[in-house]
Every structure is written in C-alpha cells, then in structure tokens.
Amino acid sequence: MGNPFEKGIGIGCELVDRENRHLNYLRISITDRCNLRCLYCVPEGRIPKLPHGDILSYEEILRLVHIGIGLGIRKVRVTGGEPLVRKGVIDFLAQLTRIRELEDVSLTTNGVLLAPNAQRIFDAGIRRINISLDSLDAVKYAQITGYDQFKQVWTGIERALEIGFMPIKINVVAMRGINDDEILDFGRLSLNHPFHIRFIEYMPIGNSRTSSRDQILTPEIQARIATIGELIPVSNGHNDGPARRFCLKGAQGEVGFISALSQHFCSHCNRLRLTADGKLRACLLSDHHAPLRELLRSGGSDGQLAEIFRIVVQQKAAKHRLCPDGMTTVKDQMQGIGG
Ligand code: SAM
C-alpha cells in the first residue's frame, strides 16, 4: 500500500494503530450459515449455529458502518458464512453502496446462489465480486465442498461476466493431493477470461478436515504457474488487497497470490473484521476481539462504540503468529469470522 497519505486514503483516518497502519477497510460477516461444507473451512459433524438473536440485524450493522466511517473506514466487504443465504442481503448491499463515503463495497460468495441473484446484486451497485471455487471438476468440487453444485457456481460466474462485474476474482485454496493437480488449469483460465485468479494459502483456522500438511505455499504454486508462461507483475491499486498480482503473457485476466504464511503482509494490513455476532477483530489470525453487540443493544452511544473501534485498533498485533508448520491455530471458525 505504501504511504497511505500519498493516495489520500489515510486522510481523516482515526484508526491508526501502533505500527502506524491506517485501518480503513472493514470486512463484515453477515451470517455464520453456509450452504457448503468445504473441507478446509468446516469440521466433521454438526457445527453449532449462532442463535438468530445473536446475529446483528442489518440496522445494527449499518449503524456500526456509519460509526466506522466517522473514524475513517472507506472500504467494506460483505462476507459470511455465505452472505447470499441471508434474507434481505441484496437490499443491505444497496444500502451500503448508497453510502457516499464508502469508496468500495464488494462481496465474497461461494457462488452457489449467484446466477439467479447476479443482476439484482449488480443493480444494488456491487461491481467487485470474489467467488470461491477450488476445483474446475464437478466431482472434485463436490468432494471439497460436500455438495454437487459446480454447475450452479459456474453458471453464476458466467452470468457475472455477462452482466459486467469487474473484476471477478476467483479464490482458490490450493491443497496438496486435493486440488493441486488443477493449479495449471486455474492459471490457464486467466488466459482466455478476464478473471483474476487468487491462490490463497491454506491457513489453519478453527477445526477443519485439512491440516497444514495439505498446505501448498505460494513459491511452489507460483513456480508451477510460471511453467505456463512468463508472469508479468501487475502493480496494486489502492483498493487492492494483499495479493501479489501477475499477468501471464498475453492473458486477459490475472493470477495473484495471497500468502498469509509464506510472506507476511501484516505490515500493510488495513483490515478490521466484524463478525456476524458483533465482535470486532483486528486480525483474522488472532482470536483477540472486542464485543460490540451488548453495548449496541443496551443503549451505548456512538461515541462509546467508536471507542471500542479505537481500542481494538490499538491492540492489533504487529504480526500474526501463524507459521507454516501449523503449530499455532486460531480457535474461532472461519465461517464465523468471514475470511
Ligand atoms: N462463503 C463465502 C465464500 O465461500 O467465498 C465467504 C466466506 S469464506 C469463509 C471466505 C474465503 O475464505 C473463501 O474464499 C474461502 O476459500 C476462504 N477460506 C476459508 N477457510 C480457509 C482457510 N482455512 N484457509 C484459507 N482460506 C480459507
């Protein structure tokens, strides 16, 4: 990100942590429910669901977004669980995109419900969309996610392309012996389509059915992709995340690598996370958080809620403590935090 002041995005940001990072990006998980059970995200057996009353209402989330904006938040991503399973999500997206101060509102989805909703999501003002897709093979997709939904997701991606979402990012968690034989296919997908393929390193978070032994780190993925063609670096725009971006020579799209483990990007992390049950987290990879819900529901003032934002920001660790040996894990589940 460089010096945020150069690009104007740090101006007015009160959320500056001890490392002088300007936290202007809020990722909001609107539900812990998901219509898939991905191997690397969900444990064996039943997962306890948050009681309905524990989940923040859209009005409560919007109030927190406005408080965040007053402190300098300029970018919001809606995630989950699976955001598209929550009733009313499209109206909620429209309310977010109407907020003048937000420079960017985006959505992360598994794409299962995208095809029938894509036009309404676009009409709600969303342009940037991330779709998680870990296999291009329907059988393997069902093995990874627990559901035979590849066709629905692919149709959703095609629909998003027709409608004009830009960019369409495809998130791939590459795992050894599971989908690593498709790394090149995903790379090739960027040749003839304007997709931004994002390879995300598996992170040991909560209980799942994969382990760090299955993890493939970026240097290996990148070396494999480089066998297809020359990888030309693409520079990041100010609304871009931590991905290191490249374009295969002659490609319409891009490939990018999100390397939480092999290459810490903590030094320029600008993110805060709001969980579906109203916890504010300063780091995906630390269970440290502050609850906002009780204060929100017991008549807390905007000033008091803002103070919690400031406190969480001051407690943001300089660096996360996960290492590739997988020894340190985060106890909370990813579907509750939102990725
Ligand atoms: N349901 C939505 C989806 O699938 O995109 C949004 C929530 S999901 C938790 C957000 C992202 O987190 C997905 O791209 C998913 O692949 C990623 N993810 C989940 N568990 C992960 C893990 N253990 N390591 C790395 N990425 C993970």
Side-chain angles (χ1 to χ4, degrees):
M1 191 167 82
N3 176 1
F5 285 99
E6 274 171 17
K7 293 159 183 150
I9 51 176
I11 293 169
C13 186
E14 263 194 62
L15 301 176
V16 183
D17 74 0
R18 292 172 300 175
E19 302 296 313
N20 200 28
R21 291 172 295 196
H22 291 66
L23 309 186
N24 61 358
Y25 179 14
L26 182 65
R27 293 169 75 101
I28 305 170
S29 172
I30 60 167
T31 178
D32 62 327
R33 313 282 206 268
C34 191
N35 46 0
L36 295 180
R37 295 181 51 83
C38 298
L39 284 175
Y40 53 81
C41 191
V42 174
E44 207 68 72
R46 275 182 75 80
I47 16 172
K49 289 182 181 150
L50 287 171
H52 189 69
D54 283 2
I55 293 178
L56 295 190
S57 67
Y58 290 130
E59 292 70 27
E60 288 170 328
I61 299 173
L62 287 166
R63 179 168 173 212
L64 293 175
V65 167
H66 281 288
I67 291 169
I69 287 171
L71 297 166
I73 295 292
R74 292 293 175 267
K75 178 175 169 182
V76 158
R77 174 173 294 276
V78 175
T79 173
E82 170 48 39
L84 298 186
V85 301
R86 182 161 174 186
K87 224 172 133 196
V89 58
I90 298 178
D91 290 341
F92 173 65
L93 293 172
Q95 284 179 284
L96 286 174
T97 61
R98 280 200 291 267
I99 301 175
R100 205 173 29 88
E101 292 87 344
L102 288 180
E103 295 166 10
D104 186 37
V105 180
S106 56
L107 175 72
T108 299
T109 171
N110 60 30
V112 170
L113 297 172
L114 184 57
N117 290 301
Q119 186 64 57
R120 288 178 60 223
I121 295 170
F122 191 85
D123 295 344
I126 300 292
R127 296 293 176 268
R128 297 162 66 88
I129 191 162
N130 287 24
I131 303 161
S132 304
L133 181 69
D134 301 308
S135 177
L136 297 168
D137 173 86
V139 173
K140 204 186 297 167
Y141 179 89
Q143 286 162 357
I144 295 172
T145 65
Y147 290 88
D148 181 15
Q149 299 281 13
F150 174 78
K151 214 165 161 232
Q152 281 81 338
V153 178
W154 191 254
T155 308
I157 292 174
E158 287 178 328
R159 194 73 197 103
L161 201 53
E162 272 164 34
I163 291 172
F165 286 90
M166 189 61 82
I168 297 172
K169 293 185 187 169
I170 297 188
N171 288 348
V172 187
V173 179
M175 292 160 291
R176 200 176 302 284
I178 299 175
N179 61 353
D180 62 326
D181 55 333
E182 294 190 66
I183 288 175
L184 297 188
D185 295 335
F186 274 107
R188 287 191 195 102
L189 196 60
S190 75
L191 291 172
N192 301 322
H193 299 84
F195 301 141
H196 292 196
I197 311 293
R198 291 283 186 262
F199 291 99
I200 305 176
E201 285 179 347
Y202 165 76
M203 294 170 274
I205 293 180
N207 284 321
S208 75
R209 287 159 289 149
T210 42
S211 79
S212 293
R213 283 190 308 277
D214 305 319
Q215 177 179 70
I216 310 185
L217 299 178
T218 293
E220 181 177 343
I221 304 172
Q222 189 171 334
R224 293 205 208 175
I225 297 282
T227 62
I228 305 175
E230 190 188 342
L231 279 171
I232 303 159
V234 174
S235 52
N236 279 26
H238 90 257
N239 270 331
D240 290 324
R244 285 188 310 115
R245 299 167 53 187
F246 298 86
C247 176
L248 278 164
K249 204 168 181 185
Q252 285 186 40
E254 291 185 10
V255 291
F257 304 96
I258 302 189
S259 323
L261 287 107
S262 64
Q263 265 197 330
H264 272 250
F265 40 76
C266 303
S267 63
H268 43 263
C269 176
N270 62 346
R271 301 167 175 203
L272 284 173
R273 290 180 163 82
L274 178 63
T275 64
D277 57 347
K279 294 177 182 137
L280 193 63
R281 294 173 75 107
C283 176
L284 171 63
L285 299 172
S286 153
D287 285 323
H288 194 273
H289 66 264
L292 287 164
R293 193 184 65 217
E294 289 68 23
L295 187 57
L296 197 57
R297 293 184 179 172
S298 61
S301 67
D302 286 3
Q304 287 171 315
L305 290 160
E307 196 47 30
I308 296 192
F309 275 74
R310 291 193 194 92
I311 291 168
V312 167
V313 165
Q314 285 316 309
Q315 291 168 345
K316 186 171 168 87
K319 246 180 169 200
H320 73 69
R321 291 183 304 123
L322 287 190
C323 35
D325 63 11
M327 291 308 284
T328 320
T329 53
V330 178
K331 280 218 310 300
D332 288 340
Q333 287 298 127
M334 187 69 132
Q335 82 268 15
I337 312 170

